[in-house]
Amino acid sequence: MKYCFALILLSLLLSCNTDETASLKYSTTTKALKYYNTGWIQIMDEGRYGAAEISYRKALDYDADFLVGKSVLARLTLDLNERLKLYEEIKDREEQITGDERLILDVYTAFVKYTNLRDLGDSKTKNALQQALQLAETNLKTIVHKYPEEVYLKAEYIEILHSLYGPKQALDSLHILASNTQKDNPFLLGFTASIQAELQEFDSAINTAKRLQNIINDSMHPKSHAVLADINYQMGNFEIAKINADKATALDPRNLVASRLKKKIDEALLN
């Protein structure tokens, strides 16, 4: 596995001189794309899952045929019946989408399939997750090299590498892939802090989290509270972790990262 990842890092280094002015084109309307992009900022940078869901729904109000937007909503909704319906609508029309947009659609649809199988208790769930992760690595690798300014797709790619290869490899990739400006992106900062904590680099993690707080500069956004909860949980500071997790979930009960973390923290405090 280490040898495999060394080849990945080499390929990243060899492809860093891609044209940074290119933008990925989506087959949708200007207004739909505006709300779609707003949703990414809300969910990734601010940790406001509930607000993001509203934005994705508004995007579809402006363009009900925006399949990538529909796939993101399907990934976010907690309603299994709605997710199953959205999945079927996407599969029925996916052949209309081609090129790089299709690479993204296929990844998102694969994760929707996995989530549906998981919620249905299907025995194929584990296999579906591995297929989704492998597809995401292949497709998003192409995307991040071709469109290096697409910071949220880059962030998702790094998350996939973390799932497949672990924290050290994900952090190495982040340092290679992210520009200096992108390294101050709130999501990537928060992800960096969490990975540093996972690697037991706690001083660095706390410092990164403080930088995140300064950049966000808004205590009403759940993001920095969720990151501090994660770091303190990994440090074994469960009381401090709980304060931050409770704050994050109070600000947005839909924040899946914070709510899942809160459950783990509460269980740790009972033991």
Side-chain angles (χ1 to χ4, degrees):
M1 186 65 76
K2 288 183 178 179
Y3 176 73
C4 176
F5 196 81
L7 293 178
I8 292 173
L9 288 180
L10 178 60
S11 70
L12 297 181
L13 286 167
L14 292 175
S15 57
C16 284
N17 57 353
T18 309
D19 179 11
E20 296 192 15
T21 63
S23 295
L24 195 149
K25 304 298 182 185
Y26 292 97
S27 51
T28 189
T29 66
T30 301
K31 286 188 175 180
L33 189 59
K34 173 189 173 182
Y35 282 107
Y36 176 79
N37 290 332
T38 297
W40 278 114
I41 293 170
Q42 291 166 326
I43 197 169
M44 300 288 271
D45 292 353
E46 301 170 0
R48 299 195 297 139
Y49 285 54
E53 181 175 344
I54 292 171
S55 293
Y56 294 133
R57 292 188 187 281
K58 284 183 178 178
L60 294 180
D61 285 343
Y62 283 105
D63 183 1
D65 297 324
F66 182 22
L67 295 189
V68 171
K70 190 170 289 191
S71 71
V72 175
L73 176 60
R75 294 177 69 187
L76 186 58
T77 181
L78 300 179
D79 186 332
L80 173 60
N81 289 329
E82 179 183 34
R83 197 185 314 119
L84 289 168
K85 181 175 181 290
L86 289 169
Y87 178 79
E88 290 303 322
E89 291 174 357
I90 294 166
K91 295 300 289 183
D92 284 345
R93 304 186 63 183
E94 64 183 2
E95 295 304 324
Q96 298 176 9
I97 305 300
T98 60
D100 295 334
E101 185 181 10
R102 179 61 185 272
L103 295 181
I104 296 170
L105 179 64
D106 286 347
V107 170
Y108 292 174
T109 307
F111 279 112
V112 174
K113 176 182 178 181
Y114 153 71
T115 306
N116 286 342
L117 292 174
R118 182 198 65 193
D119 287 1
L120 291 168
D122 196 289
S123 61
K124 298 187 288 293
T125 298
K126 185 176 180 180
N127 185 54
L129 175 58
Q130 288 305 310
Q131 289 179 345
L133 288 170
Q134 294 296 335
L135 179 66
E137 181 186 5
T138 299
N139 287 12
L140 293 180
K141 177 181 177 181
T142 297
I143 294 298
V144 301
H145 289 169
K146 192 169 180 180
Y147 308 99
E149 81 291 349
E150 295 282 358
V151 66
Y152 300 120
L153 292 171
K154 189 175 291 187
E156 288 208 286
Y157 178 56
I158 293 168
E159 283 189 295
I160 296 300
L161 296 179
H162 179 261
S163 296
L164 289 171
Y165 302 108
K168 178 63 167 61
Q169 292 89 334
L171 195 57
D172 288 344
S173 296
L174 192 155
H175 288 320
I176 292 171
L177 283 171
S179 66
N180 289 333
T181 300
Q182 289 173 341
K183 286 173 183 174
D184 277 343
N185 167 268
F187 177 84
L188 288 180
L189 267 180
F191 193 64
T192 297
S194 293
I195 292 176
Q196 288 169 333
E198 191 175 348
L199 294 170
Q200 298 188 333
E201 299 172 2
F202 297 124
D203 288 342
S204 296
I206 292 295
N207 288 334
T208 303
K210 288 179 179 178
R211 179 163 181 76
L212 172 65
Q213 283 183 306
N214 290 335
I215 287 176
I216 292 178
N217 195 29
D218 189 338
S219 62
M220 300 307 293
H221 286 176
K223 183 69 181 184
S224 56
H225 301 293
V227 170
L228 283 170
D230 184 27
I231 293 170
N232 281 283
Y233 173 75
Q234 295 192 67
M235 293 176 69
N237 299 331
F238 300 135
E239 294 289 351
I240 299 175
K242 179 175 173 56
I243 291 171
N244 283 283
D246 286 348
K247 180 69 172 178
T249 53
L251 289 169
D252 184 7
R254 286 293 315 281
N255 187 305
L256 295 179
V257 173
S259 60
R260 289 168 183 167
L261 186 56
K262 184 179 184 305
K263 182 179 179 181
K264 292 196 295 184
I265 292 167
D266 288 342
E267 290 173 352
L269 286 169
L270 289 175
N271 295 331

